[in-house]
Amino acid sequence: MRHRKYPFIVGFLFLPVLLYTVLVIWPYIQTFGYSLTDWSGVSPSMNFVGFKNYTALLHDDIFMTALGHNLLLIVLLPVVTIVLALFFAFMLNVGGRGGTGGIQGVRGAGFYKVVFFFPQVLSVAILAVLFEAVYRSDGGGLLNGVLIKLGLENAQQPILWLSDPDLVFWCILAVLIWSGVGFYLVMFSAAMQSIPKDIYEAALLDGSGRGQTFFKITIPLLWDTIQTAWVYLAIAAMDAFALVSTMTPPAGIYGGGPNHRSEVLATYLMRNFLPFGKAGYACAMGVVIFFITLILSVVSLRVTRRERIEY
Amino acid sequence: MGSAIEYNRRDIFKRAAAITVLAAGGGSLLAACAGGTGSSSDSKSASPGGGSASNPFGVKASDPLDVVIFKGGYGDDYAKDFEAIYTKDYAGAKISHLGTTDIAGKLQPRFNAGSPPDVVDNSGASQLKLDVLAKNNQLTELTPLLDAPYLDDPTKKVRDVLLPGTLDAGTIDGKVWSLNYVYTVFGLWYSNKLFQEKGWTPPKTWDDFITLCGTIKAAGIAPFAHQGKYPYYANYTIMDLIAKQGGTELFKRLDACDPTAWDDPAVKAGISAFYEIMDKDYLLPGTNGMTHTESQTAWCQGKAAFIPSGSWLENEMIKITPADFDMAFLPVPALAGDKMGPTTLRAGAGEPFIVPKQAKNNAGGLEFLRIMLTKEASGKFAAAANSLTVLKDGVGADVVLKPGTKSSSAALTAAGTNTFYYTYPDVQTEFDTALQAATADLCAKRIGPDQWIAQAKAAASKVKPA
């Protein structure tokens, strides 16, 4: 019967593979094709220019700045988000020390879990509006309002947050982390709940504290989940388009400012693609982003690969 | 035009959210909507031969008309009125109407597929850029329309009934690609009520302006606000100061992105004059980080005295403006040694209407534009949108104007033919973006006038001659 197996499998896979090819693979190939042209984005006609777009990218300072920001995000976003999410998940699931001796989270863990998950429910558009109010540049903003009331800043010289070149990147990073932690908290919580309680109880009986339990038991047993989170977050860090383009100045042309200090590859790509009419050049950026994302995913999966622990 | 940009920020968010989903995998999916299958050849001729005096473009009532309208601050109901007039003239014409804020999203695929609509109000933050469309041979040149007989009075040509400067914004290298329909005046705005209460006189010269700013600040009100997240508003003041100082010849060189124009002493004089606002700390605190809504609301609440904007401001803020605010317009005050007169102001036409070259009912598109310029259509627009159209004397006595519109049309009358209009924001997007960045830095005092000039000059040098 063996020779009948493959037609059977192919029969099932035909439709998904076809859809995947048409809707994912083919556009990727098209993008690569367009990246070799001077396509304007609004006309069916274009000229082949070879690798000119790619060599131009190498000499494009703004592209390099944007790439730098994405790489910085790739380093910071996963680390901070995962550390925070792990810490909170641990506290919510096994961090408590009830009098009964059982393993449980801190008091009110169920409530906190819901609260932490809230940001995940909000669409990115609402996030942008919400944080524009938080970062508002006069006393009407949440941060400035509080700082002024506390007497920590002069109402005549409010901090500009998103319009301050030295702060804008960190403001965006903070929103990304704020909105991400909840999801990974729930993900890690679910994984932690599948760890048998007796392992924790045994550790407890052996006199291990919270810290030791966390590093010697929780982390190794969660490694697969952490690895997945890492790849997701790295991909999110390569993007960051929605927040940067909606929250940072100059508004209306995909943000990225002031002075490209919050520029990411996706915003620079879109500005070239639509307002500047350099769609071919933008496609070249798209191809570069694609390969960077691909390489990062492969590398992070390889580097973090460890022996799987069966339990 | 700016008027449009403010209205659809919500839409930007929506699109951004959608694009995030697409871009998650690395942005490459963007190409999924791209086409390239349409043919660029055998397009319809721009000026069909079979025209008569009453039907110069040879419109056939049997041809359907496909209209796409930017549904921003002016809505799209006015266009439905125009369509009704069209079907009255061409009985039985089937009209498909789309009102949208997402012009690029809806139309880019259609342009790429070679099947664009017949007439488009190409406005708003996601408008398709005129320079890009024109360079790629996607638009009908509008000379046949301009030379066609005017509907209300066939002894005149269409081009004779337009306000001065109407065609400037839609003209690239001598060819007219768009008919901009709304006439907009640019300058500074203030509350006449506030000024009368405090006994302040609207300044005629920049020196008076700066002195008055000192008085205003002493009264506990911020003298000047601007829409910091959209730095092009501040450029309305800066570039007008420079144009008036340097005269028509310099204005033309600046607008044409001639890098050497930035070496002119008038540029230094203009930007240094503007920089006094920063130097003397006359800005509304936080205004450098504000959106148009935030800053204009603060201004309506009396927290700031002056704000730069175009004449769409009144209609835009109509719900927030106090009833007795008495909005008033002031042309950018004159500098000592100006080559243009003190009443000269920036005025031009916005809401660009285009007729795509590949449109199936090209003639119908042109005819639609001709209908728009009738007194009937113009009056309908003015009543619906509190704004003037490009038609000379286009508003009948029966239309009552709001104070701001009244004030700006009085300023326009005083200016007469002394108006100018920069086209670089419409046709040199990349240069404009760089200039906005420089202005944002200047307003935040991160750079001074000299560096601003250097950055502007560098950006102009990068513009490729067309």
Side-chain angles (χ1 to χ4, degrees), chain A residues 23-24 27-28 30-31 34 38-46 123-125 128-129 132-133 136-139 155-158 160 162-165 235-236 239-243 245-254 258-260 266 268-279 283 285-287 289-290 293, chain B residues 5 9 12-17 19-21 23-40 104 108 111-114 125-126 128-129 131-133 136 138 217 228-232 281 284-291 294-295 298 303 358 429-430 433 436-438 440-441 444 446 455 464:
Chain A
L23 296 176
V24 180
Y28 275 77
Q30 269 188 314
T31 306
Y34 287 133
D38 62 354
W39 184 39
S40 69
V42 292
S43 148
S45 64
M46 59 192 89
S123 82
V124 92
V129 175
E132 277 196 324
R136 199 183 145 131
S137 58
D138 66 357
Q156 295 306 307
Q157 302 286 335
L160 293 180
L162 293 167
S163 292
D164 183 325
I235 291 173
D239 174 19
F241 173 79
L243 287 179
S245 65
T246 48
M247 293 175 66
T248 61
I253 39 176
Y254 305 105
N259 252 335
H260 306 292
Y268 191 52
L269 183 157
M270 276 308 281
R271 204 172 310 119
N272 276 281
F273 189 77
L274 281 178
F276 292 176
K278 294 180 176 174
C283 285
M285 286 181 214
V287 171
I289 297 173
F290 167 72
T293 314
Chain B
I5 291 179
R9 301 183 61 251
I12 298 177
F13 292 136
K14 269 190 279 171
R15 291 183 55 220
I19 288 165
T20 321
V21 175
S28 311
L29 282 172
L30 287 169
C33 58
T37 48
S39 99
S40 56
Q108 196 171 30
F111 270 102
N112 279 307
S126 73
L128 292 161
K129 286 294 172 178
D131 51 335
V132 178
L133 287 172
N136 287 284
Q138 292 296 309
K217 191 169 182 184
K229 269 204 174 172
Y230 299 81
Y232 58 82
D281 201 14
L284 172 72
T287 195
N288 285 329
M290 285 189 186
T291 64
E294 291 165 355
S295 56
K303 289 181 189 159
Q358 319 245 23
T429 317
E430 228 177 319
T433 306
Q436 286 188 39
D441 277 353
R446 290 191 288 269
Q455 288 186 16
K464 290 195 192 85

